Amino acid sequence: MQLLTNEKPLMALPLLGVVLGLEQAMILQQLHYRLQQIKAKGNEEAWYCQSLDSWHKQFPFWSSSKIKHSIRKLENEGIVYSTDKFNRFSVDRTKWYTIDYEKLQHILHTYIAQTTLSEQEVEAITNAFSSHGGNAIPMTTGTKKKQSSKAIYTNKLAAQIDEVLIYLNEKTGKQFSLKTQANRNYISGRINAGYTVEDCKLVIDEQTQCWLGNLEMEKYLRPMTLFRPSNFESYLNEARKKILCSVPEPFELDYTAGEDW
């Protein structure tokens, strides 16, 4: 096929665009392409280092904020991991990125199962990410240090999610399973977005105080409601506002005033 201009094309895979959104699909494909350029080293993992400005050069038709938002969505889905732990200097915040291919395959096949699409209709998509006919894809290239760092990050995130779910059960008297992936995804999304476990607990405290005991509202004391992106920030801001309002004004003694006799 002859192109209109002498530029390197960017790929947009149709099914990925439907499932993930066009921006996320194009960024994911480009990241996959970059990861393939890294020299293989055994069965270890590839990480691609890229600044936001450099991402913008690859996608000049999008703003930097839109690219950042799209990458964040991929991180929230658990498809892309990023870290700055591989940089030589602590002040260097440039991110390294890799793809969780197994999670991507799971999301694609879940979508297929919920629609009328057949396996054959997505074969081209899965083959684009695999040299093994669409099976679970082994990670390649990278260093043991980087692979170990991801394992540490994953274990830390899992522990944080457990802590939030246990706290939610304690505060509400409910029994949300620590193994239910849907519950875990909502919490991991907020942590990957930069919020802390304490932020999550603060939202739980705030909404428990507001809803617990209210038969109409206490059913919403659940991960899907509390940690949904469109809700969480609003709940957190309200909780912080109440904390600020509850702090008493500092009392100053006036030593210049006389006593009344």
Side-chain angles (χ1 to χ4, degrees):
M1 181 182 67
Q2 186 175 359
L3 300 177
L4 294 173
T5 62
N6 295 323
E7 298 177 278
K8 292 184 178 180
L10 294 168
M11 292 183 63
L13 302 179
L15 181 60
L16 282 184
V18 172
V19 178
L20 304 177
L22 179 60
E23 294 87 351
Q24 289 74 243
M26 291 183 67
I27 290 173
L28 189 63
Q29 173 58 46
Q30 186 70 357
L31 175 58
H32 172 70
Y33 167 73
R34 296 297 184 184
L35 289 172
Q36 300 308 300
Q37 308 309 304
I38 300 174
K39 292 183 179 180
K41 186 179 180 181
N43 290 320
E44 296 168 0
E45 196 169 43
W47 289 79
Y48 175 57
C49 182
Q50 188 74 305
S51 67
L52 187 58
D53 287 341
S54 296
W55 276 120
H56 185 251
K57 290 179 181 178
Q58 296 187 58
F59 300 99
F61 39 82
W62 293 330
S63 65
S64 296
S65 60
K66 187 168 188 175
I67 295 172
K68 183 177 181 180
H69 177 71
S70 298
I71 294 175
R72 182 65 56 80
K73 289 181 71 173
L74 290 169
E75 292 174 326
N76 290 346
E77 290 285 350
I79 300 172
V80 169
Y81 288 95
S82 69
T83 183
D84 59 10
K85 302 300 184 183
F86 306 147
N87 298 322
R88 293 183 60 187
F89 305 104
S90 59
V91 295
D92 185 359
R93 312 304 292 180
T94 305
K95 290 290 191 71
W96 297 70
Y97 301 90
T98 194
I99 297 173
D100 188 332
Y101 289 97
E102 291 184 0
K103 182 60 180 289
L104 175 61
Q105 293 284 357
H106 174 73
I107 290 175
L108 289 177
H109 286 291
T110 298
Y111 178 82
I112 294 166
Q114 295 174 347
T115 65
T116 58
L117 293 177
S118 66
E119 292 285 343
Q120 290 73 24
E121 290 177 278
V122 297
E123 184 177 358
I125 301 296
T126 54
N127 284 345
F129 288 91
S130 176
S131 58
H132 302 274
N135 295 326
I137 304 167
M139 303 301 182
T140 58
T141 76
T143 65
K144 291 182 179 179
K145 176 183 177 182
K146 296 173 184 178
Q147 188 177 35
S148 175
S149 178
K150 180 183 174 181
I152 292 172
Y153 171 82
T154 302
N155 292 337
K156 179 181 178 182
L157 179 61
Q160 290 174 320
I161 295 171
D162 288 348
E163 183 178 350
V164 173
L165 281 171
I166 291 171
Y167 188 79
L168 176 61
N169 287 337
E170 290 176 349
K171 296 293 289 187
T172 63
K174 299 186 179 184
Q175 296 180 345
F176 293 107
S177 173
L178 303 187
K179 298 181 180 179
T180 302
Q181 194 59 45
N183 293 336
R184 302 184 71 84
N185 287 345
Y186 282 109
I187 299 171
S188 67
R190 306 289 64 73
I191 294 174
N192 283 330
Y195 296 103
T196 66
V197 169
E198 294 308 314
D199 290 333
C200 294
K201 290 182 177 180
L202 189 57
V203 166
I204 293 172
D205 289 341
E206 169 64 19
Q207 299 312 119
T208 299
Q209 184 178 4
C210 294
W211 293 344
L212 193 62
N214 185 324
L215 296 180
E216 181 63 27
M217 298 303 297
E218 68 178 14
K219 62 184 179 183
Y220 296 113
L221 290 170
R222 57 190 182 184
M224 182 175 68
T225 300
L226 297 175
F227 305 110
R228 187 184 295 275
S230 57
N231 296 341
F232 184 82
E233 186 174 5
S234 176
Y235 296 154
L236 182 60
N237 286 336
E238 187 63 26
R240 288 171 173 170
K241 180 180 177 181
K242 288 186 177 180
I243 290 176
L244 290 175
C245 292
S246 66
V247 177
E249 292 292 331
F251 179 73
E252 296 184 4
L253 294 174
D254 185 359
Y255 294 103
T256 63
E259 295 182 355
D260 292 330
W261 293 92

